Amino acid sequence: MTPSELLKINVNEHTEKKNGLTYLSWAWAWDQVLRADAQATYDVKTFGDNPYMRIGDSAMVWVTVTVFGKAITVQLPVLDYRNKCIANPNAFDINTSIMRCLTKGIAMHGLGLYIYAGEDLPMDAETVKEVEPVKVMPVDQETGEIKGEVKLDSGDADANAMLFADSMIQYSSIVKSLKDLNSYWKANQGQLDKLKESHPVLYEKVRTTFSDIKKQFSQPKE
Amino acid sequence: MKITNVHNVPQPLVTLAEGKHYSKGKSDYSVTELMSPPRVQRLRALHDEHIVQDVAEMLWPLLGSALHVVMERGETEGWTSEERLFTEVDGVVISGAIDLQENTKEGVNIVDYKFTSAWAVMNEKIDWEQQLNVYKWLVETVKKKKVNSLRICAMIRDFNRHDIDREGYPQAPIHMVDIPMWDAVKAETYVRQRLEMHRESKLSADFGEPLQKCSPEERWMSDTIYAVKRDGRKTAIRVFKDETEASVCADEESKKGKGKAYVEIRPAEPKRCTGNYCGVAKFCDQHQSEGETK
């Protein structure tokens, strides 16, 4: 099985819907990955003794999934069934989030990625044949918009930058305090610096989003 | 930073000054960066292109660099020189280059070279203590080895043999200074506090917000001095740190009938800023607002 073949697997029978969100079984997904690449591994990033990063009273988990020799790192906030951050998550919450994060990481290699793209079915076999293993997700350096169709290849620098920027913006919309917002920015400063260098327009988009939310938090409540 | 060569010194010195040999490796912060004031770090990053220094003004930094180059030739069994260690704290990579490590059965003895003044070795230097204890923490964390001692090998640039009878004065131009050791908890707490200060400062810079101000200690703020003087005499009769003591002294001097004595106030001065030892004084609103530029 190749990376592009992972893309065409229909995972619908192995998903579960909760509150309008679709979840893919991590056990089944990992089984598929091992069938594709017996050498595949995943690694949960630790922060000191903890398998999660504290951001204010919320937490973020990070997992690196290596398939076909390519390592992709993804992160996921510890969320409840309403897709909201859990304050002071317990071991169960963290564990659940890590396994969801693993599934997300697997998706970044192709399996079930169409679910994250909001589609009902994977690309059909014929379409997939036309998609080469490595495709570029071109980002317009002037507007920060993706040019043309998003090709599902997370190994690409543009795709990773886009994913990171997107997750930053997504998280910024669910934080509840200025302190949490600032903590999140600080926790990602290293990656933000790299984004600033490689994709200045995307960086500015993230920064402006954060700046606007900072202003909202700073304004006195009526 | 742009290095100029106004006095036409040899090009190899310019190359050395440009620091092309120096690398903090793949780390986000070096130990020295972590220890330096966050405001200074941010201003250096923001104004890097506009900071200019002439190579002829860089004697001591150059000699410091030269020493490290020379040290590589002094390879001695049982000693490790110029080793850079890396570790990660909350996703941030920190590195420190340790000048010398003596490897013994009992553990590691850490030595750091400093070109410094006799005054510095005679007075407590908290930044030496901080730096070497972060190195100790790095060795214990990364190499999992016990550290037995921390010492500064001070090369005293203004050593004067006539002064060796003064209390505390170093007895030779190369002088070893023992540094008190911290436990791992204190060291890691210090590292985390510094890291948080730098992250906070960077956050402010990223959003164009005012930078955290440097503390009086970071600015090398001197004490306010009260000098007792007399009309017609150029030098002070005595100097005090306490204004009351100075006033009493001035009254007593006046009674001696040699002329009226008075107290001259010499205000505290942030010497790092006024001497531009940080290199960014002209970009610093904290300093500029006080009108201290020399």
Side-chain angles (χ1 to χ4, degrees), chain A residues 118-183:
Chain A
E119 293 162 9
D120 293 330
L121 286 168
M123 284 177 272
D124 62 43
E126 291 306 307
T127 311
V128 170
K129 276 179 190 166
E130 292 168 12
V131 179
E132 293 303 316
V134 177
K135 284 286 179 187
V136 176
M137 182 159 70
V139 176
D140 188 317
Q141 285 299 304
E142 285 182 10
T143 64
E145 301 296 327
I146 302 164
K147 292 190 288 189
E149 188 186 356
V150 179
K151 304 295 184 193
L152 303 175
D153 175 39
S154 50
D156 178 76
D158 279 348
N160 282 338
M162 195 68 198
L163 182 74
F164 172 64
D166 190 43
S167 67
M168 288 295 292
I169 291 170
Q170 269 186 36
Y171 189 82
S172 71
S173 65
I174 58 173
V175 292
K176 291 175 181 166
S177 68
L178 182 60
K179 189 182 162 200
D180 285 357
L181 189 73
N182 287 341
S183 292

Side-chain angles (χ1 to χ4, degrees), chain A residues 66-122:
Chain A
T66 306
V67 185
F68 302 119
K70 183 195 284 181
I72 297 178
T73 301
V74 290
Q75 76 271 40
L76 194 72
V78 181
L79 303 169
D80 63 12
Y81 65 93
R82 296 165 303 168
N83 220 24
K84 301 286 181 200
C85 272
I86 297 175
N88 301 313
N90 60 28
F92 183 83
D93 301 326
I94 300 287
N95 180 60
T96 304
S97 200
I98 287 170
M99 300 328 279
R100 282 182 188 160
C101 194
L102 165 65
T103 316
K104 183 179 172 183
I106 292 169
M108 293 305 299
H109 285 279
L111 183 68
L113 188 51
Y114 67 91
I115 293 176
Y116 289 84
E119 293 162 9
D120 293 330
L121 286 168

Side-chain angles (χ1 to χ4, degrees), chain A residues 45 185-186 189 193, chain B residues 88 196 199-200 202 206:
Chain A
K45 190 170 169 59
W185 183 273
K186 286 188 280 184
Q189 273 171 348
D193 285 347
Chain B
E88 200 176 300
E196 180 54 23
R199 284 171 148 182
E200 192 66 34
K202 186 156 187 338
D206 286 344

Side-chain angles (χ1 to χ4, degrees), chain B:
Chain B
M1 182 167 70
K2 189 182 170 192
I3 303 291
T4 57
N5 187 7
V6 174
H7 301 280
N8 199 26
V9 305
Q11 189 58 32
L13 278 180
V14 181
T15 306
L16 192 60
E18 283 170 344
K20 285 173 183 165
H21 62 287
Y22 173 80
S23 166
K24 62 176 177 178
K26 286 185 176 178
S27 61
D28 299 304
Y29 292 98
S30 68
V31 171
T32 27
E33 281 176 342
L34 211 58
M35 287 174 57
S36 72
R39 165 176 276 264
V40 171
Q41 281 295 115
R42 293 277 61 83
L43 288 175
R44 281 182 188 161
L46 285 169
H47 302 284
D48 184 57
E49 290 173 19
H50 304 108
I51 298 171
V52 179
Q53 188 158 23
D54 192 74
V55 65
E57 300 287 341
M58 297 174 69
L59 173 63
W60 298 111
L62 279 173
L63 281 179
S65 301
L67 177 67
H68 291 283
V69 175
V70 171
M71 274 313 298
E72 287 169 9
R73 293 188 190 168
E75 204 172 299
T76 306
E77 198 182 334
W79 292 78
T80 307
S81 64
E82 299 289 326
E83 185 179 27
R84 183 170 286 278
L85 299 178
F86 297 81
T87 193
E88 200 176 300
V89 177
D90 290 345
V92 177
V93 180
I94 294 166
S95 77
I98 304 172
D99 287 348
L100 265 183
Q101 295 168 72
E102 182 187 11
N103 306 297
T104 70
K105 282 180 187 171
E106 292 75 31
V108 178
N109 299 315
I110 294 176
V111 178
D112 196 67
Y113 292 110
K114 299 280 182 209
F115 273 112
T116 189
S117 63
W119 182 90
V121 299
M122 292 165 75
N123 289 276
E124 193 181 336
K125 287 273 283 180
I126 186 66
D127 48 346
W128 290 356
E129 186 174 323
Q130 291 162 341
Q131 183 186 359
L132 266 69
N133 275 287
V134 178
Y135 288 163
K136 171 179 179 278
W137 172 75
L138 275 172
V139 169
E140 289 169 346
T141 309
V142 180
K143 299 174 85 173
K144 312 283 183 203
K145 287 184 178 173
K146 185 178 172 238
V147 174
N148 285 328
S149 71
L150 303 175
R151 286 186 302 165
I152 292 286
C153 178
M155 315 264 182
I156 300 159
R157 55 197 189 203
D158 58 353
F159 179 79
N160 187 341
R161 208 162 289 282
H162 296 297
D163 289 329
I164 58 171
D165 292 333
R166 282 171 58 197
E167 192 183 345
Y169 197 86
Q171 297 299 295
I174 298 180
H175 180 76
M176 299 303 294
V177 182
D178 287 321
I179 300 294
M181 292 203 289
W182 298 350
D183 61 33
V185 174
K186 185 175 175 181
E188 186 165 337
T189 304
Y190 171 77
V191 169
R192 285 180 182 276
Q193 282 172 346
R194 295 302 303 179
L195 190 58
E196 180 54 23
M197 285 169 71
H198 282 278
R199 284 171 148 182
E200 192 66 34
S201 182
K202 186 156 187 338
L203 173 82
S204 302
D206 286 344
F207 290 96
E209 294 163 359
L211 296 173
Q212 179 191 330
K213 290 189 172 181
C214 285
S215 67
E217 292 78 24
E218 287 173 332
R219 306 179 76 197
W220 304 343
M221 188 69 84
S222 64
D223 291 321
T224 297
I225 297 292
Y226 302 92
V228 177
K229 298 188 79 175
R230 183 184 292 128
D231 288 337
R233 177 179 162 144
K234 278 185 183 174
T235 55
I237 300 165
R238 278 185 73 183
V239 292
F240 295 88
K241 288 183 181 177
D242 183 87
E243 190 172 12
T244 312
E245 285 179 24
S247 298
V248 171
C249 177
D251 290 344
E252 286 170 1
E253 287 294 327
S254 293
K255 288 173 190 166
K256 289 181 180 173
K258 294 178 183 173
K260 185 173 166 49
Y262 61 95
V263 177
E264 180 186 271
I265 300 173
R266 297 174 184 168
E269 184 184 342
K271 293 188 179 296
R272 191 181 215 164
C273 314
T274 52
N276 193 26
Y277 293 107
C278 58
V280 288
K282 73 174 184 177
F283 306 108
C284 176
D285 55 357
Q286 181 181 7
H287 172 62
Q288 294 297 329
S289 67
E290 293 168 355
E292 290 155 348
T293 310
K294 275 190 174 175

